[in-house]
Amino acid sequence: MKTTPLELLAPARDASIAIEAIKHGADAVYMGATSHGARVAARNPLGDLSKVSEFAHKFNARLYATVNTLVFEDELRDVERLIRELYRIGVDALIVQDSSILRLDIPPIALHASTQCDVRDAKHARFMQDIGFSQIVLPRELTLDEIRQIRNSVEIPLEAFVHGSLCVSYSGDCRAGFAAMGRSGNRGECPQMCRLPYNLIDGDGKRVMTQKHLLSLRDMNRLLFVGDMAEAGISSFKIEGRLKDMAYVKNSVTAYRQAIDEVIASSNGRFIRSSQGRQYVTFTPDLSRGFNRGFTDYFLHNASTPAKSLARFDTPKTTGKKIGRVMDVDSKNIKISLAPGTTISNGDGLSYFAPNGSLKGFRVNSVDKNVITLLNEPEKDLIPGVALYRNFDKEWEDGISSETAVRKMTVNYRLRTSSDNRRIFLDVYDDYDNAVTVSCETHILQKADREQTLVRVRTFSRTGDTIWEFGKLDDTLPNLFVPVSTLTTLRRKGLQLLEACRRIKRVVPLRGNEKTTARLPANKHLSPRDNVANSLARKFYTEHGALHIDEAVEVSPPPYPKDIPVMECRYCLRREVGACLKTPEGRQLKEPLTLDSGKGVTYHLKFDCNRCLMQLYV
C-alpha cells in the first residue's frame, strides 16, 4: 500500500508568524524573500528566512520562498544571486512563475510551480513535471474531478488552497490592475481591482446595479472537505494569507491541523504527516472569528453550478459574526438583543449595514450586560432593528495573542553499563529512527543504598527549554549508584548529538530533471497571456516547441491591447445574479454588459458559455 505524506502549508508575513505557524502544527510555511514575491508588502530579509529555516528543520518541517513574479531582463542576475543565497541558508523550495528561472545558473533547489502558472489540466501538469518541477500549485477553481484527472497524470505532489481570500480571475491570468493603474499582480503589486464597487450597465445603457462589489468573492473555507481533497490527490493543503496577522495564522493553522490529523487517523495508514513532532495548543480554533468575507468552498464540487453564492456584493471587508440586533438607542447607549450564548466585552469592534448599503462600525467603550456605552454619540442610522456583527472580538484576540502553542519531539533513553561497570552508556533516540550513543568513564560503581529508578526517571524527564519531551527510560543498570550530575551531563550531550544526527540525516529536496524532449502541451503560439517577460523565458519556451512568442503586457509599450482580456474567470457574474445565458432569465439581461467604477475604470464583459467562463476587456 502506498503511503502519502500530507502537508499543511501556512502563510507567514514575517519570521515570528512563521515560527508560530510551525508551533501550531504547520508542516511547511511559505514566505516572501527580499524581492520578486507576489506580495510586495511581505518581503523578508535573508537573516529572518535563515532563522525560520533552522527552526522548521528541527521538526522536519519545510520553508518555501516565493519568487513567483515575472522577472524583467535587467533583473535576471539579481534573481540568480538571490536564489543562490536562499539555497545556502536552507530554503527547501522556491515557488516560482517565470520559466527563466529554469535557465539561470542556480543550485539544484526544488522548484514548485506557483498557482500563477495556471496549470488547469492534466497535459499542462505533465509538462510541468517533465521540465523539472517538484510540486504543482493548482488553480483554486478546479473541481475534485479535475484534480483527480491531474493526479492520474503526474507523480509529483499536488498543492491546493483550502482557506483564505479568493482571486476572481485565474491566478496569473489577471492584468486588470496593470491595465487600469500600471500595477501588475504578476509583479507582486496587485491593486485589488476586484474589490472595488462597480455599476452594472446593460446593452441599452441602463444601470442594472449601482456601486456593488460585483467581482469581490467570498473567502475560501474547505475545512470540511480536506478528506475529499486528499482522496482526489491533493497532498499539500495551502492556507492563503501572507499579509494576514498572527491571530489569523494561528487560528487557521490550528483548525486545519485538527482536520488533517483526523483524515490521517482514519486512513488506515494510507496518509501520514509530512513533518514530525506534536503541537500542544491552548485554544479552540474558530474560523468564523478570523478575518473573512463570508465563506465558500468555491467550485470544488461543481464547475458550472456552485451550491451557494460565490460573491459578496455589499462589502469587501470583514463583517464578523452576527451577535444580535439593536433594541434602543439614546445619546451614548445602545441596548442590544443578543443572540443566545453571546456576550460582549469592552473593546469589541461592532459593525452594521447602513440604509445605503455601506458597512459602518464602532468600538465598544464599556458594556453592562446588553447595554453598550460609546465614547461618542452613535450614528443617526444606527436605529432599532439594525443587525449587529462583531468584527473584532477583544477577549478572543487577547487570548490568542499570548503564547498559545508549543511543539515537541519525543525522546527516549536506554541506560546501560559495561560488563566491568567502568563505563556508562546512554542510548538516545527519537520516534523516527534517529539514534545516538554517549558514554562516560567512571570508577567501579557501587551498589546504591536505595532504589534508583525514580531518581533516574526524574533526571531524564527534565528537558528544559528544548524541542524535546520525555518519552521513556529503559534502565538496564543494576541497582548501582550513579551521581545525578553524571546522568545530567549524559542527557545534555545526548540531546545535542541527537539534534546533530537529525540535521545530518535530513533529506534535502532537489529539483527534478528537465526533459529536453518535453513539448508544450497546447498552443505553440504564445500570447501576452503566457507572461513571457525576458530573453531566458523566450529561450526556454522556444527550446520546448514554441513557434511564436508575444511578450507579456508588462514589458510591452502602452496602450493595453483591446483584444487581450484583463481577466478570465470561472466565476460568472450572470450566473451570480441569476441571469445565466442558458436560462430564460439570462435573455432578459441584454448584452453587451459593462462594469463601470464611476471613477474612470470600465470593463466590458464577454461570456464563453461553452467553457463556462467570463472574460473582462478594457
Side-chain angles (χ1 to χ4, degrees), residues 274-289:
S274 66
S275 68
Q276 299 170 355
R278 179 180 177 185
Q279 67 284 341
Y280 297 91
V281 181
T282 62
F283 68 94
T284 301
D286 183 351
L287 295 177
S288 69
R289 294 187 186 225

Side-chain angles (χ1 to χ4, degrees), residues 178-253:
F178 183 76
M181 303 174 61
R183 293 173 54 186
S184 170
N186 285 317
R187 288 282 293 170
E189 300 173 334
C190 174
Q192 294 193 313
M193 306 303 292
C194 55
R195 302 298 180 190
L196 298 179
Y198 294 96
N199 304 315
L200 178 60
I201 313 298
D202 70 7
D204 292 327
K206 177 184 175 182
R207 184 179 292 185
V208 179
M209 302 180 74
T210 301
Q211 289 298 288
K212 294 294 183 182
H213 300 271
L214 301 174
L215 300 175
S216 183
L217 300 186
R218 297 174 183 269
D219 287 355
M220 181 183 284
N221 181 340
R222 292 175 170 174
L223 188 67
L224 299 178
F225 306 115
V226 292
D228 296 335
M229 295 177 70
E231 293 292 344
I234 297 301
S235 56
S236 179
F237 300 85
K238 187 173 192 173
I239 298 170
E240 182 277 339
R242 280 195 292 128
L243 297 179
K244 296 289 178 39
D245 61 17
M246 179 83 77
Y248 170 91
V249 173
K250 285 183 177 182
N251 190 26
S252 56
V253 166

Side-chain angles (χ1 to χ4, degrees), residues 369-382:
K369 296 181 180 178
N370 66 332
V371 177
I372 295 171
T373 300
L374 308 182
L375 285 174
N376 302 305
E377 186 174 347
E379 297 277 351
K380 296 188 182 301
D381 51 18
L382 189 59

Side-chain angles (χ1 to χ4, degrees), residues 344-372:
I344 306 175
S345 302
N346 299 346
D348 278 356
L350 304 185
S351 64
Y352 66 97
F353 286 100
N356 64 0
S358 64
L359 183 69
K360 293 186 176 182
F362 56 91
R363 182 61 58 89
V364 175
N365 182 43
S366 64
V367 60
D368 182 13
K369 296 181 180 178
N370 66 332
V371 177
I372 295 171

Side-chain angles (χ1 to χ4, degrees), residues 501-566:
C501 173
R502 288 174 56 82
R503 286 195 298 270
I504 293 169
K505 291 179 64 177
R506 189 180 74 86
V507 176
V508 178
L510 299 176
R511 184 164 70 255
N513 294 322
E514 180 182 342
K515 294 182 179 179
T516 58
T517 56
R519 288 294 174 264
L520 289 168
N523 194 350
K524 303 301 189 292
H525 293 254
L526 302 190
S527 79
R529 296 174 62 184
D530 292 294
N531 296 327
V532 178
N534 58 67
S535 61
L536 290 186
R538 181 180 291 272
K539 181 175 186 289
F540 167 85
Y541 283 117
T542 300
E543 290 173 350
H544 286 287
L547 301 177
H548 177 80
I549 301 174
D550 289 324
E551 61 187 4
V553 297
E554 287 84 354
V555 292
S556 301
Y560 186 92
K562 298 289 185 181
D563 60 336
I564 302 296
V566 298

